[in-house]
């Protein structure tokens, strides 16, 4: 009986992350899908960035807030979710359909949606009532503002091909940061893959 109790206690302790809360379990494919999304964005290139130099813009990606080492697990999951949700929304507009190869665009949308599904489960798991304000403050709010700036830019540029190319390059940069954050989470909280 003591052995069974010890075994159950060990299983409970292994299930909890270093912060004392139940950790998030992402599928093994989550990071792989993120990398595939980056490759798809690379393949979606239609114009040489040199043709669009006049449309370049610094969107002020909140890299320090997103990649900062002080992010707790719940904050990191919230930031990742917001980045993926905003990217999904951006590439799910009617205007984006006219700008890209539809096959590649659909594959990207599907990949982003799969990652969001994984994170939806995690978001509920790691964010309790006390963390519900995370989406309205700090790093998550910075990500929302960043994407608002991208939407404003596209509108100001009339959704031109060069504007979309500039945004494609920018989203590759931000999604690359999100893949780095996912890998860091894996190191901080152990293997996030399903057993």
């Amino acid at each position: 009986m003591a052995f069974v109790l010890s075994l159950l206690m060990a299983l409970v302790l292994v299930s909890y992350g270093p912060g004392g809360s139940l950790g998030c379990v992402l599928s093994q494919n989550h990071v792989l899908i993120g990398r595939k999304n980056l490759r798809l964005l690379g393949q979606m290139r239609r114009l040489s960035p040199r043709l669009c130099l006049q449309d370049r813009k610094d969107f002020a990606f909140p890299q320090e807030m997103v990649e900062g080492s002080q992010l707790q697990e719940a904050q990191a999951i919230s930031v990742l979710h917001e980045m993926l949700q905003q990217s999904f929304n951006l590439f799910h507009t009617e205007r984006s359909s006219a700008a890209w190869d539809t096959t590649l665009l659909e594959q990207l949308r599907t990949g982003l949606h799969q990652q969001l599904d994984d994170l939806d489960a995690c978001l509920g798991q790691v964010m309790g009532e006390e963390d519900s304000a995370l989406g309205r403050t700090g790093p998550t709010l910075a990500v929302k503002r960043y994407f608002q700036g991208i939407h404003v830019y596209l509108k100001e540029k009339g959704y031109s091909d060069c504007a979309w190319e500039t945004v494609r390059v920018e989203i590759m940069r931000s999604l690359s940061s999100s893949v780095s954050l996912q890998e860091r989470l894996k190191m901080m909280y152990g293997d996030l893959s399903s057993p």
Side-chain angles (χ1 to χ4, degrees):
M1 181 66 174
F3 174 76
V4 173
L5 187 57
S6 297
L7 183 60
L8 284 174
M9 190 61 151
L11 284 173
V12 168
L13 290 174
V14 167
S15 298
Y16 281 80
S21 63
L22 190 60
C24 171
V25 179
L26 295 173
S27 72
Q28 178 63 35
N29 290 329
H30 189 82
V31 174
L32 296 175
I33 293 169
R35 289 186 187 137
K36 181 181 177 191
N37 289 341
L38 284 173
R39 282 192 304 277
L40 286 168
L41 277 168
Q43 293 170 3
M44 288 169 67
R45 177 179 156 182
R46 291 182 17 178
L47 299 172
S48 169
R50 282 183 272 156
L51 294 175
C52 301
L53 291 177
Q54 75 282 1
D55 290 301
R56 284 183 25 199
K57 177 174 174 63
D58 180 5
F59 292 99
F61 177 65
Q63 190 155 359
E64 186 58 39
M65 292 188 96
V66 170
E67 293 182 357
S69 60
Q70 301 304 313
L71 281 180
Q72 300 299 316
E73 183 182 21
Q75 287 177 311
I77 297 296
S78 178
V79 165
L80 284 173
H81 188 276
E82 190 64 35
M83 288 176 70
L84 292 170
Q85 184 66 60
Q86 293 288 341
S87 297
F88 180 81
N89 293 347
L90 184 65
F91 288 107
H92 215 277
T93 63
E94 187 177 320
R95 302 252 188 190
S96 71
S97 297
W100 308 111
D101 173 279
T102 55
T103 302
L104 293 174
L105 183 61
E106 278 306 312
Q107 289 175 6
L108 177 64
R109 289 172 178 169
T110 299
L112 290 169
H113 191 266
Q114 287 173 327
Q115 286 188 293
L116 281 167
D117 281 349
D118 278 352
L119 284 176
D120 280 341
C122 287
L123 205 55
Q125 193 176 11
V126 299
M127 289 180 69
E129 298 248 342
E130 68 280 357
D131 295 326
S132 64
L134 280 177
R136 298 183 302 274
T137 61
T140 305
L141 182 59
V143 168
K144 285 180 183 181
R145 287 182 178 149
Y146 164 74
F147 276 95
Q148 286 171 348
I150 290 173
H151 283 282
V152 167
Y153 167 81
L154 282 168
K155 188 174 182 178
E156 287 174 352
K157 292 290 185 175
Y159 301 92
S160 70
D161 288 344
C162 274
W164 276 111
E165 178 59 24
T166 301
V167 167
R168 181 194 67 82
V169 171
E170 183 67 21
I171 297 302
M172 282 185 69
R173 184 173 149 223
S174 68
L175 287 183
S176 177
S177 289
S178 81
V179 169
S180 297
L181 181 57
Q182 292 167 49
E183 289 170 345
R184 198 176 92 232
L185 274 172
K186 222 174 163 175
M187 288 174 37
M188 287 171 45
Y189 297 100
D191 188 3
L192 296 178
S193 63
S194 299

